[in-house]
Amino acid sequence: MDSKRWFILGVLFLARTAMGFQFQSVVGVSSVLRADLGIGLGQLGVLVGAYMLPGIVVALPGGSLGERFGQKHIAIAGLLLMAVGGAQTAMAGDLAMATLGRVISGIGAVVLNVLLTGMVAEWFAKDRLVTAMAILVTSWPLGIGIALVTGPFIATAVGWPAMMWLSAAASLATCALIALVYRRPDTTTERSKQIVRGKLTLHDFRLATWSGQVWALFNVGYIIVVSFMPAVMLADGVSPTTAGLVTSFATWILIVTVPLGGLLIDRIGRSVSIMQLCFVAMAIAMAATAVIPAGYALAIVIMVGIFAGPPAGAIMALPASALRAAVRSTGMGIYFTWYYVAMAVLPPFAGWLGDLTGAASTPLVLDRKSTRLNSSHTDISRLPS
């Protein structure tokens, strides 16, 4: 039973990796994509945010659909939508059609994201929940990191649409895996199948809302770093390949720090104190872009990667552990609604601020000195491309 649940977690991990890859695929090919479609940072932010926009209205009903028709079936439908949206984006000839494709794939990703968390909670509700959630969370930065590293090479070699086709293929492959492998735990009884019919109380709503707001702001901070740090380095004369490589360090480090953070919290507790410490450290790293030379961009992304890891599993486990099993799926829908509102609105807003001020560093920190990274040409250009 124990080995089975870790194998199931591995399959769900791959599905969420495909989601992270598709989300960041437009940033991975941003230099070629922006030139081909004739768009600026603000429009790039729109494409980033469009993937999250459906979550504002889809997350809550997505959880309800999972309860009604089964989490596995709705998760498969979500992955199929991701494949369709990826294909639409690949065939787009302008910003409007590309945005449509991102919205379609985003609808599928929203449904998948909500249900994956509940599927993991079913298998790990009794023990190792924070560790399991931390491992699941690691899949997102893994997909993002793969997109950041491979995107520039793919866009240069065969064009940016190939990246979108690849994301569609990954969605189809993981869809087949879940269809073949996933099942509910053997301990699921008829009574536990019926318990999902409970009613959400005001207390349940508050728990889902508060934890969802923490998850939303935490992720926005991280995504702004990995989405706009390449533009900061490009403005300083760094090649797209090097900019993507340097920025990806924040993601690769997360792959280590997220599960280690989950294991640490499962072992010693003190999750709130650990989260607060890491949040402060991440804010300091982002603010540093306004006051230090561009040559230290690698140090900034490493710091973000180190301190963004430990809180992730604990935040994700908050609603799964606090909510009653009877309302867990609906509560996760509320939790992710806050996340998607923030992710749909704030990255585009950050991009528009960058266009407005003419400073690539503005999305990371709005400061009178935000042009400093743009005007300082330092040793970062010597990093291997």
Side-chain angles (χ1 to χ4, degrees):
M1 175 67 178
D2 193 62
S3 61
K4 288 180 181 179
R5 67 174 184 168
W6 292 105
F7 180 70
I8 292 291
L9 178 61
V11 172
L12 302 181
F13 178 94
L14 291 176
R16 200 165 184 269
T17 300
M19 185 177 67
F21 178 83
Q22 186 174 67
F23 168 69
Q24 201 69 2
S25 60
V26 294
V27 176
V29 298
S30 60
S31 59
V32 178
L33 174 68
R34 287 172 59 193
D36 192 21
L37 297 184
I39 62 176
L41 286 176
Q43 287 84 5
L44 176 63
V46 168
L47 288 177
V48 173
Y51 197 81
M52 300 294 180
L53 184 64
I56 298 174
V57 295
V58 174
L60 183 55
S64 299
L65 286 172
E67 291 176 355
R68 185 176 183 85
F69 299 105
Q71 292 178 327
K72 177 178 178 178
H73 296 103
I74 303 304
I76 288 173
L79 284 162
L80 290 175
L81 282 173
M82 286 170 57
V84 171
Q88 166 63 29
T89 307
M91 295 184 291
D94 55 37
L95 178 63
M97 291 296 100
T99 302
L100 175 62
R102 293 286 286 177
V103 169
I104 293 172
S105 54
I107 292 172
V110 169
V111 173
L112 179 68
N113 203 22
V114 172
L115 296 179
L116 286 180
T117 309
M119 292 158 86
V120 171
E122 268 195 339
W123 281 91
F124 292 88
K126 293 182 178 180
D127 67 288
R128 298 288 186 178
L129 180 60
V130 174
T131 300
M133 288 298 182
I135 292 172
L136 182 69
V137 169
T138 305
S139 62
W140 175 258
L142 175 61
I144 288 176
I146 294 172
L148 286 171
V149 171
T150 61
F153 292 101
I154 292 174
T156 301
V158 292
W160 67 266
M163 190 73 165
M164 310 302 125
W165 285 115
L166 185 58
S167 74
S171 300
L172 285 176
T174 53
C175 177
L177 270 176
I178 289 182
L180 292 172
V181 171
Y182 183 80
R183 60 177 177 77
R184 299 188 73 182
D186 293 333
T187 54
T188 300
T189 63
E190 287 302 315
R191 181 176 177 274
S192 66
K193 291 177 182 178
Q194 297 299 321
I195 197 171
V196 297
R197 296 178 180 177
K199 292 184 178 180
L200 194 78
T201 66
L202 180 59
H203 180 63
D204 294 323
F205 178 81
R206 286 173 176 169
L207 288 174
T209 293
W210 291 336
S211 57
Q213 289 172 343
V214 173
W215 184 243
L217 294 176
F218 169 75
N219 276 274
V220 165
Y222 171 74
I223 289 300
I224 284 178
V225 171
V226 298
S227 294
F228 295 103
M229 183 63 83
V232 172
M233 288 184 279
L234 287 172
D236 198 55
V238 179
S239 72
T241 301
T242 300
L245 177 63
V246 170
T247 305
S248 73
F249 271 90
T251 297
W252 299 122
I253 293 171
L254 278 184
I255 295 171
V256 176
T257 58
V258 170
L260 285 181
L263 286 170
L264 178 67
I265 292 173
D266 264 339
R267 181 175 293 272
I268 69 171
R270 304 186 66 82
S271 60
V272 174
S273 297
I274 292 173
M275 285 190 286
Q276 290 173 334
L277 174 64
C278 292
F279 295 158
V280 171
M282 286 180 65
I284 291 172
M286 294 178 69
T289 60
V291 296
I292 68 173
Y296 291 91
L298 179 58
I300 292 173
V301 298
I302 288 175
M303 186 173 177
V304 169
I306 290 173
F307 288 102
I315 303 171
M316 185 69 86
L318 284 175
S321 59
L323 291 169
R324 295 174 294 123
V327 296
R328 185 177 291 146
S329 292
T330 302
M332 292 306 302
I334 296 170
Y335 173 89
F336 277 110
T337 296
W338 287 104
Y339 164 77
Y340 283 114
V341 168
M343 290 291 281
V345 173
L346 295 181
F349 179 69
W352 286 116
L353 284 178
D355 286 339
L356 181 65
T357 63
S361 60
T362 298
L364 289 102
V365 54
L366 184 59
D367 186 272
R368 286 179 295 176
K369 299 179 181 178
S370 61
T371 58
R372 181 166 181 168
L373 283 179
N374 293 348
S375 60
S376 58
H377 297 271
T378 60
D379 292 341
I380 193 170
S381 60
R382 300 192 188 120
L383 287 170
S385 59

